[in-house]
Amino acid sequence: MDLMTDRITREQIVGVAVELLARGGLHALAMRRIASELGVQQSALYWHFDNKQQLLGAVADRVVAPVVVPTGTTKDTPVEALTARLRGELLRYPDGAELVATAFAFRLGANDAYQHLVDELERAGSARPHAEIAASVLWHFVLGYVTDEQQHRQAAELGAIQPTTDEATLSADDRFTQAIDLILAGTSLSEASPPATLR
Amino acid sequence: MDLMTDRITREQIVGVAVELLARGGLHALAMRRIASELGVQQSALYWHFDNKQQLLGAVADRVVAPVVVPTGTTKDTPVEALTARLRGELLRYPDGAELVATAFAFRLGANDAYQHLVDELERAGSARPHAEIAASVLWHFVLGYVTDEQQHRQAAELGAIQPTTDEATLSADDRFTQAIDLILAGTSLSEASPPATLR
DNA sequence: ACCTGAACACCGTTCAAGT
DNA sequence: ACCTGAACACCGTTCAAGT
């Protein structure tokens, strides 16, 4: 599909890594599989990346790249829309949230997406130190929540769990939105209507 | 140290697993190492546990067990004290937060600790559905934040990062407390003083 | 009931050597 | 500069067989 060059680039490596992630989750992201998909020895990857963590960082960057877009493209309140978009992108790949969380913890990926969240909070009216606290809360919640979501999805596919008959139980979407609203209510800039189920 | 019985129990397995975790983090928690520490073959562990995930779940239970204590033992506001205690216990073991997060995601560990958080929020005045949302936010934030903290600590020990000269930078403790206060401010039951750096 | 011995099917990483 | 070939030092899990 690519123009045939025997030489391999970082971008190609990240490309097939993202494909493998999409198909089989983190489990499929083995150096040997990436290499064989490229028709190359595993050790060849180590000329382009110091180790697997750095490669995963680049994959994480690619996964969350779509959330870093110029503001004003959405008519929704920016911060709420941003968190919803982040969740959406993470859900596109199995283990997406876990991958990004790990990469970010090592500061090897997703740094731009995080910074974008801080910036949006500032533009929405939060002073610097407060915006950083709020961003930290929002970020860790989204990653933790979606990790949970995806792990359950996987467990359900293995038949380990039946889909918990949806009676009187909020959907994952609703619970997510309510949680984001709760957090934003704690920041003075609560654009969102305060949670209806207050007391 | 133990009375010499050639037979091994689940409790003994979990015990040496916790010791290994304390010494070397998740990296040291290999089935072979646990087995050899007990003077037994690796395969022997699989008679007591279905797989490693279940064993890790039991370890996670042990790690967070101290946070599940009867209320009223502390004079602080219960929810704030509970989250602080949870962070404290996680910090006692390298990779403590990551371990508990993974085990909880699979619902194989730390369920009691999570339920305790929901209960405390209810006793503090939150209605059921709201308490569940708030617990989810608090829980994911604490685990995500402490995972980050511990990963940085490890990276710093490898000399990969210098300790970021503490000038004008909030301590990890202060940032944690402020974040918890922000979340609790979003719940109607803001016992905590609203964050000083609001706008 | 509880464990051994041995194998199976994998991993990430390194490194001399090739071109 | 970029990659091969081959090895090193590990993993979790299974399963017949022993006691």
Side-chain angles (χ1 to χ4, degrees), chain B residues 84-198:
Chain B
R85 237 159 48 224
L86 175 58
R87 171 166 174 261
E89 294 304 326
L90 297 175
L91 285 175
R92 293 175 67 88
Y93 305 88
D95 302 325
E98 194 183 337
L99 166 76
V100 172
T102 311
F104 180 78
F106 286 101
R107 297 296 120 98
L108 289 173
N111 294 308
D112 290 355
Y114 183 78
Q115 195 52 50
H116 192 239
L117 179 58
V118 176
D119 291 346
E120 285 294 352
L121 279 162
E122 269 191 308
R123 303 175 92 261
S126 273
R128 252 277 135 168
H130 189 243
E132 276 168 352
I133 302 284
S136 170
V137 172
L138 286 166
W139 181 260
H140 288 306
F141 171 72
V142 173
L143 290 180
Y145 184 84
V146 178
T147 299
D148 237 67
E149 245 184 304
Q150 296 187 308
Q151 223 106 49
H152 281 161
R153 196 165 302 191
Q154 261 180 244
E157 278 169 11
L158 298 184
I161 273 177
Q162 71 271 48
T164 62
T165 50
D166 297 5
E167 318 193 13
T169 312
L170 289 172
S171 74
D173 286 41
D174 288 344
R175 282 185 289 120
F176 178 79
T177 309
Q178 287 205 33
I180 297 293
D181 285 355
L182 182 148
I183 299 171
L184 292 180
T187 76
S188 51
L189 46 93
S190 50
E191 324 115 306
S193 53
T197 55
L198 262 186

Side-chain angles (χ1 to χ4, degrees), chain A residues 33-47:
Chain A
R33 295 197 53 175
I34 297 169
S36 84
E37 208 84 6
L38 287 163
V40 95
Q41 294 285 116
Q42 331 93 283
S43 50
L45 303 177
Y46 287 86
W47 193 90

Side-chain angles (χ1 to χ4, degrees), chain A residues 98 101-102 104-107 124-127 129-130 133-134 136-145 147-148 151-152 154-155 161 170 174-176 178-180 182-188 195 197-199, chain B residues 98 101-102 104-107 125-127 129-130 133-134 136-148 151-152 154-155 161 170 174-176 178-180 182-188 195 197-199:
Chain A
E98 193 182 339
T102 312
F104 180 78
F106 284 102
R107 296 299 119 96
S126 272
H130 189 242
I133 302 283
S136 170
V137 172
L138 286 166
W139 182 260
H140 288 305
F141 170 72
V142 173
L143 290 180
Y145 183 84
T147 299
D148 237 65
Q151 223 105 50
H152 281 163
Q154 260 181 245
I161 273 175
L170 290 173
D174 288 343
R175 282 185 289 120
F176 178 78
Q178 286 206 33
I180 297 294
L182 183 149
I183 299 171
L184 292 179
T187 75
S188 50
T197 56
L198 261 186
R199 288 212 51 188
Chain B
E98 194 183 337
T102 311
F104 180 78
F106 286 101
R107 297 296 120 98
S126 273
H130 189 243
I133 302 284
S136 170
V137 172
L138 286 166
W139 181 260
H140 288 306
F141 171 72
V142 173
L143 290 180
Y145 184 84
V146 178
T147 299
D148 237 67
Q151 223 106 49
H152 281 161
Q154 261 180 244
I161 273 177
L170 289 172
D174 288 344
R175 282 185 289 120
F176 178 79
Q178 287 205 33
I180 297 293
L182 182 148
I183 299 171
L184 292 180
T187 76
S188 51
T197 55
L198 262 186
R199 292 209 51 189

